[in-house]
Amino acid sequence: DHKTANNITFLIELASGRSLGARLPDALLAIAWFCTVALVFVCMRKARKSTPVVLKLLVISLIAELMTVQIFSKNTWDRYLVMAMFPLCCVAAEMAWREIAVYAVWCCVSVFESSYWASIAHFVTAPAAHVMLLQGNPMALRLFAGEALLVSGGIFVFYASIRILWRTAAAADLGGAD
């Protein structure tokens, strides 16, 4: 039942003031995880004849799977991102310049948001922060803005990794290079 900030469950509970409970977020995580792993499997099957492409897919799939956990888990930490810094850079290397700008903003927010929640907001729960948000509390407003940027940026990075997986596998399936 432990919940932390930096995920869609916290953001929804902060915005609505209602708890999603313990099992709904777990079920959403399980479904999202299954879908992500299934997509990775399909992409790997398409590219199985090219070892370099398979290796690239494995690296990018780490980010797709990590972002699934970062977005949907009700208990996640920014430190997980540090463990996947190399694959994150591989995803960013495939982005257009505008996407890199969005990625850079997300990186900056992800560096500070957890610390803000822990030190300034004192690990406030989402329902308690919702009450403060309705009262116009500046700390709660900043927390909400940071959470919204963090989660939407995480969704963007997830989407980018899935897009790279699919395009790379499709190119390999057609006999093209990675």
Side-chain angles (χ1 to χ4, degrees):
D1 290 338
H2 181 68
K3 294 181 181 178
T4 63
N6 305 327
N7 55 68
I8 200 161
T9 300
F10 189 87
L11 181 61
I12 290 170
E13 290 181 354
L14 174 59
S16 69
R18 300 186 194 276
S19 174
L20 296 180
R23 299 299 161 235
L24 179 60
D26 291 342
L28 292 175
L29 173 60
I31 292 166
W33 177 260
F34 176 78
C35 290
T36 301
V37 170
L39 179 74
V40 169
F41 175 77
V42 168
C43 290
M44 296 294 268
R45 296 290 294 170
K46 283 182 169 221
R48 68 178 177 242
K49 294 176 184 164
S50 172
T51 301
V53 174
V54 168
L55 293 174
K56 178 180 179 178
L57 291 173
L58 280 172
V59 170
I60 302 300
S61 73
L62 291 172
I63 297 307
E65 293 166 20
L66 173 66
M67 295 318 299
T68 301
V69 172
Q70 287 291 113
I71 295 164
F72 291 100
S73 178
K74 66 183 181 233
N75 180 11
T76 188
W77 297 97
D78 60 329
R79 292 157 194 88
Y80 300 158
L81 295 173
V82 174
M83 294 184 290
M85 200 52 64
F86 171 72
L88 270 170
C89 291
C90 291
V91 169
E94 299 270 340
M95 293 178 179
W97 285 105
R98 289 181 195 151
E99 293 173 326
I100 290 173
V102 172
Y103 175 78
V105 170
W106 174 74
C107 285
C108 290
V109 171
S110 67
V111 166
F112 297 106
E113 182 59 21
S114 292
S115 295
Y116 186 84
W117 175 65
S119 60
I120 306 296
H122 304 290
F123 299 105
V124 67
T125 63
H130 175 76
V131 171
M132 291 187 278
L133 190 63
L134 292 177
Q135 296 169 346
N137 181 302
M139 181 276 302
L141 291 168
R142 286 188 294 273
L143 180 65
F144 179 75
E147 289 294 319
L149 286 170
L150 188 65
V151 171
S152 60
I155 291 169
F156 167 73
V157 172
F158 172 75
Y159 167 75
S161 64
I162 293 298
R163 185 183 66 206
I164 293 164
L165 284 170
W166 192 255
R167 286 181 180 169
T168 302
D173 193 36
L174 293 173
D178 55 10

